[in-house]
Amino acid sequence: MSLIARFICLAWFFAGLTFAISVGMPGGYNIGGALIFLSSIGLIFIKPKWALLNKQDRLLFWTFFSFAISMFIAVAMDSMSIRELDKPSRFLVVLPVLVLLLNVTNRKEWLWYSVLFGAIFAFSMALHERVVLGDRRSGVGINEIMFGNTAMLLGLLSFAGAIYFYSQKRYAWMWLSIIGGFAGIGGSVLSGTRGGWVGLPFIGLFLFWQCRDLLGRKLLLSVFSVVILSLVTVVAVPQTGVQKRVNDAVSDITKYLDGSRRATSVGVRFDLWKSSVLIVKQAPIFGVGASQITPLRKELAADNLISKASSRFGHAHNEYFDALAKRGIVGLVFLLMVYLVPLKLFLNKLKEHKTDWRIRSYAIAGALIPMGYIDFSLTQGMLSHNIGVVMYAFPVVYFWAALRWAEREALEEEPMV
C-alpha cells in the first residue's frame, strides 16, 4: 500500500480527532479538520466512485456549496477584506471530505469513541480551570460561549452513542458514553453558557421520543427520572453557578423591561436584536452589509434607540438577526437552509429506518448537530467563529457519511429472495 493510500485510510481517525480534541485544547478543532482535508486531496490519486453519491448526498453537497457561495457574494458586494472568506470557505473545504468518507474504508465507529472522549476531556479541562485556577467561567483558551456550546454538543452526541452501544448490547461503552454525555453538559455548566441550556429540555425530549421503542416504558421512565434528578441537583447546588446565572438573566430582563438599566448582558443582546430589525428596514432584500452595521448601530445609540454599550458590537449575538441585518431576507434564507436541509435529511432517515438501530443511532446524532446549532444560534453568532463553522460543517458530513455506510451494510446483509 502506497504512502498516499495509507494516509487516506486514516480519514475516519482524523474525523474522530476533530471531536476528541475539539475544545479540550486550544485550537484542537482545527487539527482533525485540517488532516482529513489533506487526506481528501488523495482523491486526485484514486478514482472515487461518484456513483456512490445518491440524490440525498448531492443535496447536502449543494446545500453547503450554495451557502458558501452566498457568503462569498455578500463579502464581495460589501467590499470586505478577503479574510472574511475564511469561515464560509470551510463549507467548501468539507465537500471533498464528504466524497472521501463515502469512498474510503469504513471505520465509522471511531466517531462514537471520539465524542465521548472529547466530552470528558473538555469537562476535565473546564473543571481544572474552575477548581484549580479559580476562574469564574471556563473557556479552555477559547470564547467561553463557544466552549460551552461545543461541550454541550459533544455531550448530546455522547448520549446518541450510548443509544448505539445499548442497541448493540455493548454495555461498557454504553456507560462510558453516558458519562461522556453528562461530562459534556457539565462542561457547558462550568462555562456558564446559558444559551445552550435553553434548548436542552426540547432536545432531551427528542432523544427520549426517538428511543422509546428501544428502551421500553419502564427503562425509559427510569432514565428520565435520573436525568430530571441530575438537572435539579445541578440547579440547586450553588457551586455549579447555574442558579446564579439564571437569576442574573431574570434580573437583566426585569431591568431592561422597566427601563432602569439596558447595558446588562441580556439587555445588550435585546438591543442588538432590536437594532438588527431597525437596520434591515433600510435594505430588506440583501441587507446593509457587514461593514455598515457598527456605524448604523452608533447612529441608533445617538438617537437613544439602543444603549451605547450595544453600539460597539459588530454582531447581533443571534445568528438569525445578524444574517437578516447584514445579508437581508436572502441571507436569512440561506442560513436557514444550511441548518434545516441537513436536519431534514437526518429526520427522513429516522422515518425510513424505524427498527435498525445501527442506522438510527447515526441519524439521531446527525440530527442533534443542526438542532443544537439552531438553539445555540439564538444567543450567539456560531458561524462567526472558526470553531463554530468547523464543528458544524465537518460533524454533519461525518455522521451523514457514517449513516450512509450503515445503510450499505444493512443492504448487504439482506437475504437474497
Side-chain angles (χ1 to χ4, degrees):
M1 184 182 293
S2 68
L3 182 61
I4 293 173
R6 291 178 184 276
F7 192 63
I8 291 174
C9 286
L10 290 173
W12 284 101
F13 171 76
F14 297 147
L17 193 65
T18 307
F19 295 113
I21 60 174
S22 55
V23 286
M25 59 182 289
Y29 59 89
N30 272 325
I31 297 174
L35 288 172
I36 197 170
F37 171 68
L38 289 175
S39 63
S40 72
I41 296 175
L43 290 169
I44 299 171
F45 303 98
I46 64 174
K47 294 182 178 180
K49 299 177 182 178
W50 293 99
L52 291 176
L53 275 70
N54 64 15
K55 184 178 179 181
Q56 295 163 323
D57 303 329
R58 292 187 176 93
L59 178 57
L60 179 60
F61 185 102
W62 288 113
T63 296
F64 279 11
F65 179 86
S66 300
F67 178 73
I69 296 303
S70 74
M71 295 292 287
F72 287 0
I73 293 173
V75 170
M77 290 176 62
D78 196 35
S79 301
M80 294 288 285
S81 168
I82 194 171
R83 67 180 181 181
E84 297 298 323
L85 302 177
D86 178 49
K87 298 178 186 69
S89 70
R90 310 301 173 91
F91 284 94
L92 295 182
V93 167
V94 78
L95 297 181
V97 173
L98 172 62
V99 177
L100 175 68
L101 292 179
L102 289 172
N103 279 271
V104 77
T105 304
N106 176 26
R107 294 289 187 274
K108 63 184 185 303
E109 274 197 3
W110 287 359
L111 298 180
W112 299 128
Y113 308 134
S114 301
V115 294
L116 73 90
F117 177 84
I120 294 171
F121 188 23
F123 176 75
S124 301
M125 296 301 294
L127 191 64
H128 177 264
E129 285 192 341
R130 285 287 295 271
V131 176
V132 178
L133 302 182
D135 293 348
R136 186 174 63 89
R137 295 179 64 184
S138 299
V140 192
I142 59 177
N143 178 283
E144 290 88 351
I145 300 175
M146 298 305 300
F147 170 83
N149 287 339
T150 307
M152 175 72 77
L153 180 63
L154 291 171
L156 294 173
L157 293 175
S158 295
F159 283 130
I163 294 170
Y164 171 82
F165 288 121
Y166 177 80
S167 70
Q168 303 302 304
K169 295 181 170 52
R170 297 167 62 181
Y171 298 117
W173 282 107
M174 179 199 73
W175 284 111
L176 284 173
S177 295
I178 291 173
I179 293 171
F182 282 109
I185 295 174
S188 175
V189 169
L190 293 174
S191 75
T193 304
R194 294 172 296 204
W197 308 341
V198 175
L200 187 58
F202 304 101
I203 295 175
L205 287 174
F206 168 79
L207 280 171
F208 282 119
W209 181 255
Q210 292 300 329
C211 63
R212 63 192 186 282
D213 295 331
L214 175 67
L215 300 181
R217 183 178 298 180
K218 185 176 180 180
L219 181 56
L220 191 66
L221 183 61
S222 300
V223 173
F224 184 77
S225 301
V226 170
V227 170
I228 294 298
L229 180 61
S230 300
L231 292 177
V232 170
T233 302
V234 168
V235 174
V237 176
Q239 285 76 9
T240 63
V242 172
Q243 192 177 117
K244 183 180 184 304
R245 293 287 289 166
V246 172
N247 290 337
D248 288 346
V250 173
S251 175
D252 288 355
I253 293 172
T254 302
K255 291 174 182 176
Y256 185 85
L257 294 177
D258 66 20
S260 61
R261 189 181 177 194
R262 291 161 63 182
T264 62
S265 176
V266 176
V268 166
R269 277 182 167 83
F270 284 171
D271 270 353
L272 288 172
W273 304 347
K274 176 183 176 181
S275 68
S276 296
V277 174
L278 295 172
I279 288 170
V280 76
K281 292 179 180 179
Q282 300 184 26
I285 305 301
F286 296 108
V288 300
S291 64
Q292 299 302 309
I293 292 296
T294 301
L296 289 172
R297 283 208 175 104
K298 288 181 178 179
E299 290 180 15
L300 292 172
D303 293 336
N304 202 33
L305 292 172
I306 62 172
S307 65
K308 289 185 178 180
S310 307
S311 65
R312 62 187 177 87
F313 288 93
H315 198 285
H317 273 272
N318 176 297
E319 201 70 64
Y320 313 105
F321 282 122
D322 195 67
L324 189 63
K326 292 177 180 176
R327 302 186 298 281
I329 295 172
V330 172
L332 179 60
V333 168
F334 275 103
L335 173 65
L336 292 175
M337 179 185 71
V338 89
Y339 284 163
L340 296 180
V341 170
L343 177 60
K344 180 62 174 174
L345 287 173
F346 285 115
L347 292 180
N348 285 346
K349 292 300 182 181
L350 287 172
K351 293 179 181 178
E352 184 180 344
H353 304 283
K354 296 183 181 298
T355 58
D356 193 333
W357 284 95
R358 291 172 302 177
I359 301 174
R360 284 183 64 82
S361 301
Y362 289 104
I364 289 172
L368 288 174
I369 300 165
M371 286 176 68
Y373 266 68
I374 288 170
D375 169 37
F376 303 153
S377 294
L378 292 171
T379 54
Q380 174 68 349
M382 296 297 295
L383 302 184
S384 297
H385 296 261
N386 282 326
I387 184 173
V389 178
V390 171
M391 293 305 293
Y392 180 75
F394 282 80
V396 165
V397 163
Y398 295 162
F399 277 102
W400 179 255
L403 184 154
R404 295 280 287 111
W405 269 104
E407 285 184 320
R408 292 178 199 169
E409 292 170 353
L411 189 62
E412 291 172 358
E413 292 176 4
E414 286 185 3
M416 299 292 292
V417 178

